Amino acid sequence: MRLPLAAIVFLLAAAPAWAQLAPPPEGELINLAARRMGGCVVNVSSNGSGAGSEDGRIDEKVTDKPYATEAKSQLPQDIVLSFYKDKVATLKSIVLDATSKENPETRLEDFEVFVSLTSPVAGYVSIGTFTLGTDPKPQDFPLLDLKAKFVKVRLYSNRGGKKTTLNEIAVFGILPKEQDFFITEIDKEQLTHFKNMGRDALVFPDWHPVE
């Protein structure tokens, strides 16, 4: 039976973003959060940039119009990311870019990273709290091979502005060649090892945004 055009359009619109993409490479270091790789912004708790603008945070393009919390929203606020087909991935680093032509006081400063193997709303374990430097450029923070399906970035502070802005988020990691491991909880020993290490000891690939 041939579906009418209206039904096809509806099904495509209702399908998840990754359904219309070629599968990303497996076993290679990629930006898991990138929209072109099947990444998705699952939720933002405050969006003053307009509906749909959150997808611009994972398009690998630094723009003049960054994501911004609503002016009256109090911090903290959350941004939740998922990967291709909600697969478990091995995380290497997270990169945030707070470049903005808006008031520099609005730029994100302190944030916390959580990972979950359960769902976008449950099972989160804190990886640590980080601080963005004052230079408006991509800044990376190691995640040391932790496994996760979902990453939550919690925005804690800016540099004195009435709202908080963030331009781009990238999560570098590896999708397994096969989903041949069954992980039900975050590796506590690995997490403890991560928190006890000097995070500056590792060097991660530079992130080169698409022009």
Side-chain angles (χ1 to χ4, degrees), residues 43 65 71 108 121 124 133 142:
N43 182 55
K65 295 182 179 181
L108 175 66
V121 296
Y124 281 103

Side-chain angles (χ1 to χ4, degrees), residues 83-153:
F83 314 132
Y84 181 73
K85 289 187 176 181
D86 291 346
K87 285 188 174 184
V88 175
T90 301
L91 310 184
K92 297 294 186 178
S93 67
I94 185 168
V95 178
L96 272 68
D97 188 341
T99 300
S100 172
K101 289 188 176 181
E102 296 196 31
N103 184 341
E105 292 183 351
T106 67
R107 292 174 184 164
L108 175 66
E109 183 174 22
D110 296 313
F111 65 98
E112 188 170 6
V113 177
F114 300 81
V115 295
S116 172
L117 287 160
T118 307
S119 81
V121 296
Y124 281 103
V125 173
S126 172
I127 301 305
T129 303
F130 306 89
T131 299
L132 279 171
T134 56
D135 289 342
K137 63 180 183 180
Q139 300 175 47
D140 62 64
F141 305 86
L143 297 179
L144 298 185
D145 294 335
L146 289 169
K147 304 292 192 297
K149 284 186 177 182
F150 305 96
V151 172
K152 177 165 64 178
V153 180

Side-chain angles (χ1 to χ4, degrees), residues 30-34 57-60 81 83 92-97 138-141 143 151 153 166-173 207-208:
I30 61 173
N31 178 5
L32 297 161
R57 308 293 66 82
I58 55 172
D59 61 4
E60 300 174 293
L81 306 170
F83 314 132
K92 297 294 186 178
S93 67
I94 185 168
V95 178
L96 272 68
D97 188 341
Q139 300 175 47
D140 62 64
F141 305 86
L143 297 179
V151 172
V153 180
L166 176 62
N167 212 314
E168 192 71 20
I169 303 175
V171 179
F172 285 100
W207 174 41
H208 300 289

Side-chain angles (χ1 to χ4, degrees), residues 38-99:
C40 178
V41 178
V42 180
N43 182 55
V44 290
S45 59
S46 174
N47 188 356
S49 308
S53 63
E54 61 272 11
D55 282 346
R57 308 293 66 82
I58 55 172
D59 61 4
E60 300 174 293
K61 297 178 182 178
V62 176
T63 68
D64 291 341
K65 295 182 179 181
Y67 160 80
T69 60
E70 296 174 273
K72 295 182 179 180
S73 294
Q74 295 183 342
L75 296 173
Q77 299 293 340
D78 294 337
I79 301 175
V80 178
L81 306 170
S82 66
F83 314 132
Y84 181 73
K85 289 187 176 181
D86 291 346
K87 285 188 174 184
V88 175
T90 301
L91 310 184
K92 297 294 186 178
S93 67
I94 185 168
V95 178
L96 272 68
D97 188 341
T99 300

